Amino acid sequence: MRELFADKDLTAIDRYWAEPYVQHSPQMPNGLGTLRNVVPNLEGFSWEPQRIAAQGDLVFTHSIVHGWAPNPVAIVDIFRLDNGRIVEHWDVVQDIVSPEESANGNTMV
């Protein structure tokens, strides 16, 4: 994530992703070509992982992300790996709400 999205190192795709790449994010089509097209155009992108966990062939990240949406967002990414490479992706994206604005007073990440 850091190498590809923050550093904009497109060679990370060849190291860490593999086809067929199945994308479940509703704004992105399947295939690695989408990543190759989207990443160079990200402005002000930063990825701040807060939690990372793995279970079997799945890896989960819970992060604060700037530059994906107009305002900072909290994102949970779920990656499925096959032979050590990312072959499938799901995400949940939420606008970040301050603890003062939340009904429970807790931070989101």
Side-chain angles (χ1 to χ4, degrees):
M1 291 290 288
R2 183 169 283 112
E3 289 178 42
L4 178 59
F5 288 99
D7 299 342
K8 295 186 181 181
D9 178 0
L10 295 180
T11 65
I13 294 170
D14 301 321
R15 288 190 300 279
Y16 304 117
W17 277 261
E19 293 282 13
Y21 178 60
V22 179
Q23 178 62 259
H24 297 276
S25 181
Q27 296 101 341
M28 307 212 12
N30 292 326
L32 297 177
T34 299
L35 293 176
R36 293 183 205 288
N37 291 330
V38 167
V39 169
N41 298 313
L42 292 174
E43 295 295 326
F45 186 90
S46 68
W47 177 66
E48 303 167 20
Q50 305 297 304
R51 292 163 193 82
I52 299 174
Q55 179 181 10
D57 63 352
L58 299 174
V59 175
F60 307 81
T61 64
H62 186 208
S63 311
I64 298 170
V65 175
H66 298 262
W68 187 255
N71 296 311
V73 290
I75 299 182
V76 173
D77 286 293
I78 305 168
F79 302 98
R80 185 175 67 80
L81 281 68
D82 186 24
N83 290 324
R85 310 232 349 235
I86 300 167
V87 294
E88 196 162 7
H89 172 256
W90 298 259
D91 62 18
V92 179
V93 180
Q94 286 183 290
D95 289 330
I96 291 180
V97 174
S98 72
E100 297 77 30
E101 298 172 282
S102 107
N104 53 40
N106 299 323
T107 61
M108 292 182 61
V109 285

